[in-house]
Amino acid sequence: MAIFSRGFVGRRSAADVKLPPGQYLTSDFPVLSAGPTPHVALDQWEFKVDDGTAVLRRWDWKSFRELPTENIRVDLHCVTRWSKLGTFWEGVSLDVLLAGVKTDSAYAMMRSYGDYTTNLPLKDLMNKQAWVAFKFDGADLAPEHGGPARLLVPHLYLWKSAKWVRGMTLMPRDRPGFWESLGYHMYGDPWQEQRYSGE
Ligand SMILES: Nc1nc2c(c(=O)[nH]1)N[C@H]1C(S)=C(S)[C@@H](COP(=O)(O)O)O[C@H]1N2
Ligand SMILES: [Mo]
């Protein structure tokens, strides 16, 4: 008969878990920000989808929070080698935000308050792979973790999950965002260990 310690009942134990190569488990939630935390008042907040010329979609906080939401339980993998398993979020799927948007663009640049950017293929943002998340563990997302709202793209390294997200620009060709310009990988698949360009 197996003996379970209390802490592991109903959870995955370390032995069950397959981490991406070069990652270790952490149970706390480190804060990694390239600059100061921008504080965005909800009555100032907006999220826009544009194609570099025209604004295609726009929400203020009220209309954003009227959109259908999903509860998401996902593993996070940071390029600095920590992984955090089974994190719990609430957010609006990018499938909802991009519904009906017609575009030939294959890429998007995510843009944040505070000027952080990160690039992704549009197909990685669709089909239940990405959310604009505003709650973590049932509470409003803390400012240091990206509140009021952050992108959540758990299948890529966490630098792709732009905190304080304010919009996205659709792009016909891939272009590097903030960390990608400094040598991080253009795509960033943790299972392929795509940490830096050239890897
Ligand atoms: N706007 C913004 N988003 C960001 C960052 C940042 O510096 N600015 N850092 C990225 C990196 S490198 C990581 S690992 C995660 C960290 O998220 P956390 O601070 O909630 O752990 O946010 C990502 N999103
Ligand atoms: Mo990171």
Side-chain angles (χ1 to χ4, degrees):
M1 194 176 90
I3 299 176
F4 296 97
S5 71
R6 226 169 218 294
F8 284 110
V9 173
R11 286 200 232 152
R12 290 175 289 180
S13 73
D16 295 333
V17 166
K18 196 171 178 300
L19 282 176
Q23 296 295 111
Y24 67 86
L25 269 181
T26 183
S27 55
D28 60 1
F29 195 174
V31 172
L32 283 113
S33 305
T37 295
H39 289 272
V40 189
L42 292 185
D43 62 358
Q44 304 284 311
W45 186 92
E46 59 176 10
F47 186 90
K48 286 192 223 170
V49 180
D50 72 81
D51 63 5
T53 317
V55 176
L56 307 177
R57 293 285 187 277
R58 179 188 179 281
W59 292 268
D60 60 13
W61 186 258
K62 183 171 179 293
S63 55
F64 171 74
R65 288 294 287 106
E66 285 165 358
L67 295 170
T69 70
E70 292 173 17
N71 292 319
I72 313 126
R73 192 173 289 281
V74 288
D75 301 340
L76 307 178
H77 308 294
C78 175
V79 72
T80 62
R81 299 185 182 273
W82 58 267
S83 290
K84 183 174 173 60
L85 302 183
T87 63
F88 183 59
W89 304 80
E90 183 177 350
V92 176
S93 168
L94 271 277
D95 295 309
V96 170
L97 298 174
L98 295 171
V101 170
K102 300 255 184 304
T103 180
D104 294 327
S105 293
Y107 298 92
M109 186 70 79
M110 304 306 303
R111 293 180 291 99
S112 294
Y113 291 99
D115 286 344
Y116 185 86
T117 54
T118 188
N119 56 301
L120 300 107
L122 204 49
K123 69 168 175 33
D124 286 81
L125 294 171
M126 302 197 301
N127 296 315
K128 301 215 176 273
Q129 297 185 93
W131 297 266
V132 173
F134 53 86
K135 285 199 180 198
F136 174 77
D137 268 354
D140 290 345
L141 182 57
E144 65 269 25
H145 286 300
R150 78 178 297 168
L151 186 67
L152 184 63
V153 196
H155 71 287
L156 299 176
Y157 280 126
L158 198 56
W159 88 78
K160 297 287 182 181
S161 293
K163 302 196 281 189
W164 316 295
V165 70
R166 67 182 303 175
M168 57 191 291
T169 299
L170 307 179
M171 313 185 290
R173 275 169 298 280
D174 202 7
R175 292 175 34 188
F178 175 79
W179 282 120
E180 295 84 5
S181 301
L182 295 169
Y184 280 26
H185 199 277
M186 287 293 270
Y187 184 61
D189 179 351
W191 298 95
Q192 305 293 323
E193 218 172 348
Q194 294 173 337
R195 297 176 191 274
Y196 308 105
S197 50
E199 286 182 346

